[in-house]
Amino acid sequence: MNTPYSRTRILVEGALMTALATILSFIPIFELPHGGSITLVSMLPLLVMSFRHGPKWGMFTAFVNSLVQLFLGLKNLAYCQTLGAQIGCILLDYILGFTVLGLAVVLAKPFKHKLAGVAFSSTAVCLLRFLCSFLSGYIVWKDYDYAFEWMNNFGWGAWFTQHLGQDALCWVYSFFYNASYMLPEIVLTIIGILLLYRFGHKLFERQERRVSL
């Protein structure tokens, strides 16, 4: 039987999950020169929060985490050349990119087998974050010259410029650039959450909020 949680206790737990996610984000396994890194499962605490307390608290905690990450990454806004680009960066790379992680528990509901639900929903919301980064790579950070240079360093530039237009090349660049760090991060996160479920499945049990009289 789950122990009812007060609102204060949920807020404290959310703050701890945000702090843990922030600490883990400072442990990069691999960093790219123009932003993006593979971290030590920094998304995992936000996913656990969603499974324990539902989408409202999960999304709220992930939203707060996005504000923390935005504050820590303010220098990245300096690379945005217009106000619109800065707004796009804030929304896609931070606010939406992290807040969608709080939806994990919603996507797990159709599954009767809890482990399958945890695996599928965690993968799905992580891919939604990747989608946000992918869109940002084109909408906000579109740079044909840099895209061509980056692709050419992998031996793809000449072939792609012969068969793709500038816009298409920028889309392809955004996909591969963001996939180069986001997909390994997702794999590590899924492995981490499955191991955590295996050895601590009670952490994923939905906690009921105590109603104040």
Side-chain angles (χ1 to χ4, degrees), residues 26-41:
F26 278 107
I27 309 177
I29 298 174
F30 175 77
E31 291 184 280
L32 293 176
H34 295 279
S37 62
I38 304 172
T39 68
L40 189 61
V41 296

Side-chain angles (χ1 to χ4, degrees), residues 43 46-48 50-51 100-111 113-129 186 189-190 193-194 197 204:
M43 295 186 287
L46 306 176
L47 299 175
V48 173
S50 178
F51 289 118
V100 293
L101 298 176
L103 292 172
V105 67
V106 176
L107 300 179
K109 285 183 178 180
F111 291 83
H113 194 283
K114 186 66 177 290
L115 181 60
V118 168
F120 172 83
S121 60
S122 298
T123 303
V125 294
C126 287
L127 287 174
L128 285 176
R129 186 188 168 194
I186 292 172
T189 299
I190 301 308
I193 205 164
L194 292 179
Y197 186 89
F204 295 81

Side-chain angles (χ1 to χ4, degrees), residues 72-91:
L72 295 174
L74 279 177
K75 64 180 184 296
N76 294 327
L77 297 181
Y79 298 105
C80 299
Q81 299 181 358
T82 64
L83 176 61
Q86 291 179 337
I87 294 174
C89 177
I90 291 172
L91 289 177

Side-chain angles (χ1 to χ4, degrees), residues 121-141:
S121 60
S122 298
T123 303
V125 294
C126 287
L127 287 174
L128 285 176
R129 186 188 168 194
F130 166 73
L131 177 61
C132 290
S133 297
F134 169 56
L135 293 175
S136 175
Y138 179 84
I139 297 172
V140 178
W141 303 105

Side-chain angles (χ1 to χ4, degrees), residues 50-193:
S50 178
F51 289 118
R52 285 177 62 79
H53 297 292
K56 182 180 74 172
W57 289 105
M59 293 182 69
F60 175 75
T61 303
F63 172 74
V64 172
N65 179 77
S66 75
L67 298 181
V68 173
Q69 293 299 317
L70 173 60
F71 175 77
L72 295 174
L74 279 177
K75 64 180 184 296
N76 294 327
L77 297 181
Y79 298 105
C80 299
Q81 299 181 358
T82 64
L83 176 61
Q86 291 179 337
I87 294 174
C89 177
I90 291 172
L91 289 177
L92 291 171
D93 289 323
Y94 294 100
I95 305 299
L96 291 176
F98 284 99
T99 303
V100 293
L101 298 176
L103 292 172
V105 67
V106 176
L107 300 179
K109 285 183 178 180
F111 291 83
K112 294 182 179 180
H113 194 283
K114 186 66 177 290
L115 181 60
V118 168
F120 172 83
S121 60
S122 298
T123 303
V125 294
C126 287
L127 287 174
L128 285 176
R129 186 188 168 194
F130 166 73
L131 177 61
C132 290
S133 297
F134 169 56
L135 293 175
S136 175
Y138 179 84
I139 297 172
V140 178
W141 303 105
K142 180 182 178 181
D143 186 334
Y144 171 74
D145 292 333
Y146 182 74
F148 175 80
E149 179 184 356
W150 191 86
M151 299 292 287
N152 194 56
N153 287 337
F154 288 90
W156 298 348
W159 186 90
F160 273 110
T161 52
Q162 293 175 7
H163 296 80
L164 298 176
Q166 292 189 9
D167 282 345
L169 181 64
C170 289
W171 278 114
V172 172
Y173 156 73
S174 179
F175 177 85
F176 282 105
Y177 182 88
N178 287 291
S180 67
Y181 72 93
M182 279 296 300
L183 295 188
E185 171 96 356
I186 292 172
V187 171
L188 288 176
T189 299
I190 301 308
I191 292 174
I193 205 164

